Amino acid sequence: MGRIAFARLEQQKTDCEWIDISGLDLPLCDADKCYANVAAQKLKRSIETADGMIIAAPVYNYDVSAAAKNMIELTGSAWEDKIVGFLCAAGGTSSYMSVMAYANSLMLDFRTVIIPRFVYATGDAFDGDKLIDKKVEKRVEQVADDLIRFTKALRG
């Protein structure tokens, strides 16, 4: 889903960057030495320079993945005043509201503006890693379009 959103942003001639945290050697947040980690610093700089972000994250055990939460903990204040959208994939339908605690933390701690539309897709929308559900694909593109619209409106 993230790749589809990224392609949509590029199609709309948006200056954007793809960041895959699984390819970074991020430490677990320890509220101490982790912030000096080279990969954490690089990630923080990328977030600081962005006007908005789309977070594509899996949902495990009724919550956004620990890796996605760790990313926020490592980069903290870089999220201040950003526009943020969410794309979530999960095995079933029961945890579709799991992104709300994550969104609330971003809103309350860092004053992010959360796009009031997110995509939650279950396993049957995919064939392996490939998204096959055209309705979900259309919703992903709408989140990307909303990121552009919100960013333009709020950044002027």
Side-chain angles (χ1 to χ4, degrees):
M1 290 190 301
R3 295 251 181 236
I4 292 167
F6 186 71
R8 180 64 170 209
L9 293 170
E10 288 186 313
Q11 177 187 23
Q12 299 293 333
K13 308 286 189 242
T14 303
D15 181 18
C16 53
E17 176 184 4
W18 175 264
I19 301 170
D20 182 348
I21 64 170
S22 71
L24 301 177
D25 189 20
L26 293 174
L28 290 177
C29 186
D30 64 3
D32 188 24
K33 294 177 184 172
C34 63
Y35 304 115
N37 175 276
V38 173
Q41 286 293 310
K42 182 181 181 217
L43 179 60
K44 184 174 183 176
R45 282 190 299 278
S46 291
I47 294 168
E48 285 172 337
T49 60
D51 288 328
M53 304 280 289
I54 295 178
I55 299 171
V59 172
Y60 301 118
N61 290 329
Y62 305 97
D63 207 349
V64 175
S65 74
K69 288 187 255 180
N70 188 56
M71 174 184 66
I72 299 294
E73 292 169 356
L74 289 171
T75 55
S77 63
W79 292 89
E80 287 184 3
D81 300 320
K82 304 296 180 193
I83 313 300
V84 177
F86 295 101
L87 308 173
C88 298
T93 59
S94 298
S95 54
Y96 73 95
M97 295 295 286
S98 61
V99 75
M100 295 312 298
Y102 196 65
N104 284 338
S105 175
L106 285 168
M107 285 188 300
L108 297 173
D109 292 339
F110 305 114
R111 294 169 300 289
T112 61
V113 174
I114 303 298
I115 297 171
R117 169 194 320 268
F118 67 92
V119 179
Y120 180 91
T122 60
D124 51 347
F126 298 89
D127 182 10
D129 288 341
K130 182 173 173 47
L131 181 66
I132 58 173
D133 187 318
K134 294 300 179 190
K135 289 180 183 177
V136 172
E137 182 176 343
K138 182 87 173 145
R139 292 192 339 249
V140 168
E141 290 174 346
Q142 181 63 52
V143 169
D145 291 346
D146 283 350
L147 180 69
I148 295 167
R149 186 171 60 90
F150 273 63
T151 302
K152 284 181 180 177
L154 293 172
R155 300 291 187 239

